[in-house]
Amino acid sequence: MTKVDLGMPRMGFFTDTTVCIGCKACEVACKEWNAVPAKPLNLTGESFDNTSGLTADSWRHVAFIEKTVPAPGDDGAKDVKWLMSSDVCKHCTHAACLDVCPTGSLFRTEFGTVVVQQDICNGCGYCVSACPYGVIDQREDDGRVFKCTMCYDRIGDGGEPACAKACPTDSIQYGELDLLRDKASRRVAELHAQGLTDARLYGQSPDDGVGGTGAFFLLLDEPETYGLPPDPVVTTRDLPGMWRRTAVAAATLLAGVAVSFAGARR
Amino acid sequence: MSPRRELEPEFASYYGRPILKEPTWEARDIAGYLFAGGLAGASSAIAAAAQLTGRPALARVSRIGAVGGLGFSVVALVHDLGRPARFVNMLRVAKPTSPMSVGSWLLAGYGPLAGAALLSDLTGIARPAGYAAGVGAGVLGAGVATYTSALFADTAVPAWHEGRHELPFLFAGSAVCAASGFALIGSPTAQVAPLRTLAVGGAALELSMSARMPRSAGLAGETFGLGRAGALMRSARVATAVGALGAGVLGGRSRAVAAASGLALLAGSALTRFGIFEAGRLSTQDPKYVVVPQRERLAQQDREAATVG
Ligand code: SF4
């Protein structure tokens, strides 16, 4: 997990959910640009959300939450508060999917993003169980795994990812991660000043369990309300200890065999 | 209304939907591989010890167990790939951060040695080289039998990751049970004395770890006792205990008892692996195994920050 300085800035997504209007333009643009297969429409009854989550065939997913809140006034009436958020691969600083990939198919690009090389992936599925956000996923009929590439082709050509380009409210912003982080901090301060004390950043801190994410969010509720883990940790952080205990267990096995045979009667 | 929405969570989840993806692995392939890999690796260690202490019949049986286990392992691993034809990509890189990569290289080194040891034993060709290969397979076998614990623990699957302290020893014990069980079935009574000690030791390790893991794994630890996972783990404990008792107390006298005990030990080991596999799957299905412990961790950090500040 050493840092390699590529001499170019790390790029990222800042998704400001306060201005998301739930139009799903990002979902559509992503599918179109990346030729992600369509799935038959399945009505879930979960507000406007019929995508349900990030999968091999959905690289952007707009979550819809109809939260019951007290209505203005003192008559105890209830009202609905809309929460909408476009979720995506977090492009983790310490990416578990990339760490555990046994073929080297998953790699870190010059933009600091995490991408699957589809011609290498052999569909072992290890990354699927490693991702602490449940993002990366296997496409059943294909066997390989797929996820957001932050439009590696578009950004390599100086463009912005399809979702950010299509977003009509700039809820999805693409740019240099450092600049986005500053911008996000200012935005939260502004919202707090307006009395929106629930506003918080998710994934913006380099001190969190994945070293900060390349795609981070401004949320208006607890992360789990949006289906996000509250404190994800890259599993490989604990790997040195796992290897140590595995070595001790292997040595125990050999010692057990040696002792049983040495001590046995003929 | 979908069944998911009838959950009564103690936090606001997203329509009760899971946060993590379920493992893509098939139980038959991957839990089966855990068992077969353990059988193979520990059998090679037993074969090497048997050969060095002059127990040729036991050595041969264990070499057969090793190659049989290995054969199943390789087939299961390749079969479980989404793109089986690309299995050689496993050896495209060597990555210590990926237990699957480490395991692939381990198997690539271990397989030929275990195969050569058996071949030389059966044909009588190049015996000294066969012996040397057998010792090498025995040492690498210990790695083959245990690295899978790191493979499982190094995931976001709550039951597996939180069970990381016990898993290596549980797998070592389970592998020893399987291999001594297999050898008890096939070896002449005169040569099984060390297996009886070994089976009891392996079972003690397996049983103590499988008792401890549900407690040390926090909230996700409860999945080891739930549903199919619980049923598998409970049957595993019974089978392992019966097998160890039979082997330890009576196995030296009767060939039939030794074989029956061996079967029970094999069954116990296999059931343990399937139980752990199922518990992991369960722990990805309910978002509470992700959210509750993580929230507790955050609250703890807040408390610590408050006392410091
Ligand atoms: S969110 Fe998951 S898939 Fe995306 S980089 Fe992080 S670990 Fe990999």
Side-chain angles (χ1 to χ4, degrees), chain B:
Chain B
M1 183 182 265
S2 68
R4 262 176 277 103
R5 298 228 258 148
E6 286 155 25
L7 294 176
E8 281 287 5
E10 46 288 282
F11 56 91
S13 75
Y14 190 66
Y15 302 104
R17 288 190 176 271
I19 288 177
L20 299 172
K21 292 275 181 288
E22 242 183 70
T24 60
W25 301 327
E26 290 289 341
R28 193 192 45 188
D29 286 337
I30 298 305
Y33 164 63
L34 295 182
F35 165 73
L39 169 64
S43 288
S44 287
I46 291 176
Q51 163 202 306
L52 293 170
T53 58
R55 293 179 169 90
L58 172 55
R60 178 170 295 177
V61 171
S62 291
R63 288 188 183 117
I64 293 172
V67 171
L70 174 70
F72 179 92
S73 297
V74 172
V75 171
L77 287 178
V78 173
H79 179 254
D80 200 65
L81 295 177
R83 287 287 174 101
R86 291 187 181 173
F87 74 93
V88 284
N89 284 6
M90 288 291 184
L91 302 180
R92 193 178 158 269
V93 292
K95 280 171 79 174
T97 60
S98 169
M100 198 181 282
S101 170
V102 173
S104 300
W105 285 103
L106 252 178
L107 282 174
Y110 163 81
L113 291 176
L118 176 63
L119 213 66
S120 154
D121 186 353
L122 293 180
T123 59
I125 298 170
R127 283 217 183 271
Y131 281 3
V135 173
V139 173
L140 285 185
V144 170
T146 49
Y147 93 86
T148 42
S149 64
L151 180 87
F152 265 40
D154 193 28
T155 59
V157 175
W160 297 343
H161 187 77
E162 298 309 324
R164 64 186 179 278
H165 300 279
E166 288 81 17
L167 269 183
F169 299 96
L170 177 54
F171 280 15
S174 177
V176 163
C177 284
S180 35
F182 185 88
L184 273 170
I185 296 173
S187 310
T189 322
Q191 297 189 6
V192 300
L195 294 179
R196 299 172 57 202
T197 323
L198 195 56
V200 172
L205 190 59
E206 178 175 342
L207 290 172
S208 60
M209 288 299 140
S210 106
R212 210 170 85 174
M213 197 161 64
R215 280 177 275 131
S216 77
L219 183 62
E222 74 181 31
T223 56
F224 294 107
L226 295 180
R228 245 174 79 76
L232 286 163
M233 294 303 283
R234 281 188 296 276
S235 335
R237 281 195 284 276
V238 174
T240 301
V242 167
L245 217 67
V249 179
L250 303 164
R253 284 181 229 147
S254 142
R255 180 76 197 261
V257 173
S261 310
L263 261 183
L265 286 165
L266 279 168
S269 173
L271 287 165
T272 301
R273 310 307 182 111
F274 279 84
I276 287 167
F277 188 88
E278 282 307 323
R281 176 140 72 188
L282 260 181
S283 71
T284 60
Q285 287 168 344
D286 190 329
K288 78 176 177 190
Y289 299 119
V290 175
V291 174
V292 173
Q294 292 189 7
R295 288 194 65 128
E296 268 164 20
R297 190 161 65 211
L298 287 174
Q300 177 71 25
Q301 280 162 14
D302 281 351
R303 279 194 296 276
E304 273 160 24
T307 47
V308 171

Side-chain angles (χ1 to χ4, degrees), chain A residues 1 44-49 52-56 61-66 97-106 117-126 128-138 141-144 222 224-239 242-243 245-254 256-258 260-262 264-266, chain B residues 2 4-5 11-15 17-25 41-42 45-46 49-50 53-55 58 80-84 86-93 95-102 104 138-139 141-143 145-147 149-157 160-161 164-166 168-169 172 175-176 190 193-198 205 290-291 294-295 297-298 301:
Chain A
M1 293 200 267
T44 60
E46 294 164 357
S47 189
F48 282 68
D49 183 8
S52 297
L54 295 172
T55 65
H61 160 238
V62 183
F64 291 78
I65 299 123
E66 298 173 35
C97 61
L98 191 160
D99 283 347
V100 304
C101 175
T103 63
S105 167
L106 273 152
Q117 299 174 82
Q118 297 300 349
D119 54 337
I120 307 290
C121 175
N122 67 6
C124 76
Y126 202 0
V128 177
S129 288
C131 173
Y133 300 91
V135 170
I136 196 164
D137 185 26
Q138 189 173 35
D141 54 359
D142 182 288
R144 295 173 298 173
E222 300 293 342
E224 57 270 25
T225 307
Y226 298 88
L228 296 164
D231 185 32
V233 171
V234 57
T235 177
T236 39
R237 192 184 70 179
D238 301 317
L239 188 58
M242 296 177 207
W243 279 136
R245 279 186 297 272
T246 303
V248 176
T252 307
L253 191 159
L254 289 176
V257 171
S260 312
F261 277 80
R265 283 173 292 109
R266 295 308 327 248
Chain B
S2 68
R4 262 176 277 103
R5 298 228 258 148
F11 56 91
S13 75
Y14 190 66
Y15 302 104
R17 288 190 176 271
I19 288 177
L20 299 172
K21 292 275 181 288
E22 242 183 70
T24 60
W25 301 327
I46 291 176
T53 58
R55 293 179 169 90
L58 172 55
D80 200 65
L81 295 177
R83 287 287 174 101
R86 291 187 181 173
F87 74 93
V88 284
N89 284 6
M90 288 291 184
L91 302 180
R92 193 178 158 269
V93 292
K95 280 171 79 174
T97 60
S98 169
M100 198 181 282
S101 170
V102 173
S104 300
V139 173
T146 49
Y147 93 86
S149 64
L151 180 87
F152 265 40
D154 193 28
T155 59
V157 175
W160 297 343
H161 187 77
R164 64 186 179 278
H165 300 279
E166 288 81 17
F169 299 96
V176 163
L195 294 179
R196 299 172 57 202
T197 323
L198 195 56
L205 190 59
V290 175
V291 174
Q294 292 189 7
R295 288 194 65 128
R297 190 161 65 211
L298 287 174
Q301 280 162 14

Side-chain angles (χ1 to χ4, degrees), chain A residues 89-92 95-97 114 131-133 135-136 147:
Chain A
C89 168
K90 314 301 175 289
H91 295 277
C92 308
C97 61
V114 179
C131 173
Y133 300 91
V135 170
I136 196 164
K147 72 168 188 72

